[in-house]
Amino acid sequence: MTPLLTTRDLRKNYGGLRAVDGVDFAIMPGEIRAVIGPNGAGKTTFVSLICGRVPPTSGQIVLDGNDITDLPAHDRVRRGIAYTFQITSVFSALSAYDNVALPVQRTLTGRSKGRLHAGVMSALERTGLADRADTTAGALSYGHQRLLEVAMGLALKPRLLILDEPTQGLSDGEIESFMQLAREIARDATVLLIEHNMQVVMELADRITVMNAGKILAEGTPEQIRANAEVQRAYLGTEA
């Protein structure tokens, strides 16, 4: 099977700081891949390079065989890459419904209120927010704002959905529902998530990429990562 997305010798420097330092990476279609590592490991910078929020210093990003290294973020969205931010970026003055309607409109070729409504409610229902459709986003709890961001990403019908700390602020019950949702999403799309909740990572991910100091320290199944001595020293510690 051909990877959906690959990076080759990908680098991002900020002055003398090598935030991403020569990363070779590949993710397969339908995979749930977790990226973990200590704070400052380069995880968010790495996914920001993939979605086009920041330009690379050097290296290459290939999506489904096409070089997208120089494409702006909005063109990557059109090609199927959706990204939810580590810090919530919903439109707080708009309702949950209207927040999701904005990305749904990008997927519609013509004006159809019926298709728009169906697309919005489908995304809200999948994330458990249908009963909060009319609630102003700013009035939602932080955890529900996180889920609203996921709904906005789903509304784009992505091929690759990148989630940055998606379970932050969620209750235990909401985390369980999120994991079920992620497995459902992976039937139609590929999921790449940055996550600090190791229980979520170990239960949800097909494979795990561990970053440290801008480089990939290790990759493997949850069992392989849990047993990796280097990963234990650099990140997992007593959690391994």
Side-chain angles (χ1 to χ4, degrees):
M1 187 181 295
T2 303
L4 174 65
L5 181 134
T6 60
T7 71
R8 298 166 185 163
D9 197 27
L10 192 63
R11 299 174 186 270
K12 180 61 180 179
N13 301 337
Y14 293 101
L17 173 65
R18 297 178 179 179
V20 174
D21 191 7
V23 169
D24 294 323
F25 174 86
I27 185 169
M28 306 302 291
E31 183 179 359
I32 300 177
R33 175 73 66 90
V35 179
I36 67 172
N39 291 333
K43 307 181 296 297
T44 294
T45 301
F46 174 62
V47 297
S48 294
L49 291 169
I50 290 174
C51 71
R53 290 185 62 220
V54 296
T57 301
S58 61
Q60 188 178 39
I61 305 168
V62 176
L63 177 67
D64 201 20
N66 298 301
D67 190 334
I68 63 168
T69 310
D70 298 323
L71 282 184
H74 64 271
D75 280 340
R76 299 187 199 201
V77 170
R78 292 193 183 99
R79 292 181 182 232
I81 297 178
Y83 176 70
T84 70
F85 295 86
Q86 183 177 12
I87 300 172
T88 55
S89 59
V90 299
F91 297 97
S92 60
L94 299 180
S95 68
Y97 186 100
D98 288 341
N99 268 271
V100 179
L102 293 171
V104 169
Q105 288 173 338
R106 295 181 68 103
T107 69
L108 300 178
T109 54
R111 293 187 176 183
S112 169
K113 289 184 178 180
R115 290 171 61 203
L116 175 64
H117 180 73
V120 172
M121 293 311 299
S122 174
L124 289 173
E125 286 165 4
R126 292 176 75 183
T127 52
L129 295 175
D131 61 344
R132 294 175 171 84
D134 295 328
T135 303
T136 301
L140 294 172
S141 68
Y142 182 77
H144 286 147
Q145 289 184 28
R146 301 293 290 164
L147 291 173
L148 179 58
E149 273 204 311
V150 175
M152 293 166 70
L154 288 175
L156 291 166
K157 299 180 179 180
R159 300 166 66 196
L160 174 63
L161 179 61
I162 302 174
L163 305 171
D164 198 344
E165 300 289 353
T167 67
Q168 183 175 307
L170 301 187
S171 67
D172 290 344
E174 289 169 339
I175 288 174
E176 186 60 37
S177 296
F178 166 77
M179 289 196 290
Q180 293 175 7
L181 173 62
R183 295 185 184 105
E184 177 195 324
I185 293 169
R187 297 175 192 164
D188 305 309
T190 304
V191 178
L192 175 62
L193 71 151
I194 296 174
E195 183 57 66
H196 276 108
N197 186 322
M198 291 310 300
Q199 182 177 349
V200 171
V201 169
M202 293 299 176
E203 290 186 21
L204 187 58
D206 298 311
R207 288 175 60 81
I208 299 169
T209 297
V210 185
M211 293 188 68
N212 192 34
K215 297 177 179 289
I216 291 180
L217 176 66
E219 285 187 319
T221 65
E223 294 76 17
Q224 290 170 332
I225 294 302
R226 195 188 297 276
N228 187 300
E230 274 192 288
V231 174
Q232 292 179 27
R233 285 193 297 268
Y235 182 57
L236 291 180
T238 56
E239 296 180 17

